[in-house]
Each structure stands twice: as C-alpha cells, then as structure tokens.
Amino acid sequence: MGLKDVVIKEARPLPVLLLVDNSGSMANEKINTVNVALKEMIAEFNGIKNAKGKISVGIITFGNTVEIVQPIKKIEETIVPEFQAAGKTWMGEAIDKAIDMLEDRNQVPERAYTPTIILLSDGLPSDCPGRTDPKNYDFSQWEPLQRLHSSERLKKCPKLALGIGDGTNYRMLNAFINNPEVPVIKANDLATITKFFQWVTYSISKRSVSSNPNEPVIGDPKEMFGADEVEYLLSL
C-alpha cells in the first residue's frame, strides 16, 4: 500500500448544543457578558490539538422567538453572532427544537459521541404550566423535559445549566439536568457567567482529548465556584 492509498480518518464528532435565553430580562450587561464568554469558549475549542472527539457546535436562542442561530457545525465553521435580548422566555419550544436537532442523523450522525446540552436562563419558561405555581409544580413532568429525558439518544447525554439572577427557578433547571451529581450554577453576579463558560470549556476540552470521549467529563464545581454558586438537586 502506497502513501496515496492511506485514508486519514476524521475524528468522530462531539456535539455541543447551547440553549441561550435572550428574553427581555437578559438585556444589557447579562447578554453582553454571555456574548463575550461564548466567543472565548469557541476560540478555546478551536485551539484544541489532537482531539479524539472533534467538537461541533449548535446554538438555539429563545426570547421573542425561538431561533436556530446555528445548526450543528464543525467548530471551525462556528460563527457566534451578537445576541440581542427581547421578549418572553419560550424555553419549552427551544428544548423541543434541540431534541429534534440532536435526533436528526443528518446533523448528528450515528458515529457521533454523546452530545452535551447547555442551558442558560434567568427566568421561568413562558410556555410552562408551572409558571403559575412554580414552588409546587413538578417540573420533571413538564412535557419538553419528559421528552428530553426519555429520548433513547439523549437521556444519557450530559446536561449543564446556568441560572442568571434572582428570577431563576432552580428546581426547573435541576429538572433539566436530571442528575443529582451535577449542580445548577447560580450566577449571582456577572463574573460567575464567565466562570461558568470557563468550567464548560475545561470539561468539554478534557473530554475531547480523553481516551473515551463518550464518557462525560465534568470539572469539579468546588474548584471553580463558591458554595453559594451551586444548587444540587438533593438540596431542594
């Protein structure tokens, strides 16, 4: 066999899908901080060498409308726009679109590693019945989350969530994560938004170069965040 007959096999895709709240309450400093931190994360992903899992990124925003900002593409093809904030919080519709995207074999091929889903929000979903009684509503029964957690392809994928500010319902975000070992991160100030993206960047970067990128790698939250910045499922 000559050199011209050698086929270099491309690394298997490692999909990362971001669900970004750009409702009206995220306006100004919140959304600006997300814009900067997300671009820094993408730049870090672009610099990874010898990855066993090749990171690909998709972005969905939910505010006035739910928009697929970017279908899942290779990291070098990812272009992050400047998000603007306006309108309500159509999170349920965004989760449904995320499920459709990740279950689509044209976007996430069979050979891809298990996706990671990342949710950022500062409030309650406008399209959830629990909005009227958030203290007593069982968010695990919300239809979009039931669909997410029952999907054969997605129920085992790692999910990370950032709650931004006082209006966040952490029971809802814990129901999204659905894993008592992974906390919701609480951004009580803008600096924590940046730290969250650094935590995500570290976790996914380590996973991409690991011997088995199908195994989730989650950086230890205690090394990055203070006790008042984490909210575990079992503490609710």
Side-chain angles (χ1 to χ4, degrees):
M1 180 185 292
L3 287 176
K4 66 180 181 180
D5 299 315
V6 176
V7 177
I8 299 175
K9 200 169 184 180
E10 188 174 36
R12 290 166 60 184
L14 177 59
V16 177
L17 182 56
L18 292 116
L19 305 179
V20 180
D21 183 345
N22 66 334
S23 60
S25 56
M26 284 286 292
N28 301 320
E29 289 184 322
K30 289 182 186 178
I31 202 67
N32 291 339
T33 304
V34 170
N35 283 331
V36 171
L38 179 54
K39 288 176 181 177
E40 290 176 352
M41 183 181 78
I42 298 301
E44 289 286 337
F45 287 164
N46 257 315
I48 296 173
K49 305 297 183 185
N50 303 316
K52 195 174 180 67
K54 179 68 173 177
I55 296 172
S56 55
V57 174
I59 305 170
I60 296 174
T61 57
F62 54 99
N64 226 9
T65 60
V66 175
E67 181 180 355
I68 298 175
V69 175
Q70 176 175 286
I72 294 172
K73 291 183 178 181
K74 295 177 181 178
I75 188 63
E76 60 267 23
E77 298 173 357
T78 297
I79 300 174
V80 182
E82 289 287 325
F83 299 131
Q84 304 296 321
K88 294 189 176 181
T89 310
W90 303 117
M91 186 188 296
E93 184 182 343
I95 292 171
D96 280 331
K97 282 188 183 295
I99 296 167
D100 292 341
M101 182 184 293
L102 293 172
E103 288 185 338
D104 182 353
R105 294 301 194 274
N106 292 319
Q107 290 203 57
V108 182
E110 198 71 47
R111 67 188 291 268
Y113 290 113
T114 305
T116 297
I117 309 175
I118 301 164
L119 173 63
L120 290 76
S121 183
D122 75 335
L124 274 168
S126 300
D127 49 1
C128 176
R131 187 173 184 83
T132 58
D133 188 15
K135 290 184 178 179
N136 298 308
Y137 182 73
D138 183 356
F139 287 96
S140 67
Q141 299 303 305
W142 186 28
E143 187 173 344
L145 292 186
Q146 284 202 321
R147 185 183 170 211
L148 175 64
H149 297 317
S150 63
S151 166
E152 283 302 316
R153 198 170 198 204
L154 304 179
K155 62 185 178 183
K156 293 183 179 179
C157 72
K159 304 168 188 72
L160 304 174
L162 175 69
I164 304 171
D166 296 335
T168 306
N169 186 289
Y170 292 97
R171 293 177 59 250
M172 181 271 297
L173 293 180
N174 270 310
F176 166 81
I177 292 174
N178 197 38
N179 183 344
E181 296 182 1
V182 179
V184 175
I185 304 304
K186 303 166 66 173
N188 300 316
D189 53 45
L190 297 175
T192 308
I193 298 176
T194 301
K195 285 197 295 183
F196 174 80
F197 275 99
Q198 292 169 346
W199 181 56
V200 169
T201 302
Y202 171 83
S203 300
I204 294 174
S205 298
K206 294 289 283 187
R207 185 180 167 199
S208 75
V209 298
S210 70
S211 59
N212 181 14
N214 250 342
E215 288 294 321
V217 175
I218 306 295
D220 186 352
K222 295 176 184 176
E223 295 182 1
M224 182 69 75
F225 305 103
D228 62 339
E229 294 174 324
V230 295
E231 188 82 27
Y232 283 92
L233 180 64
L234 294 181
S235 68
L236 295 180

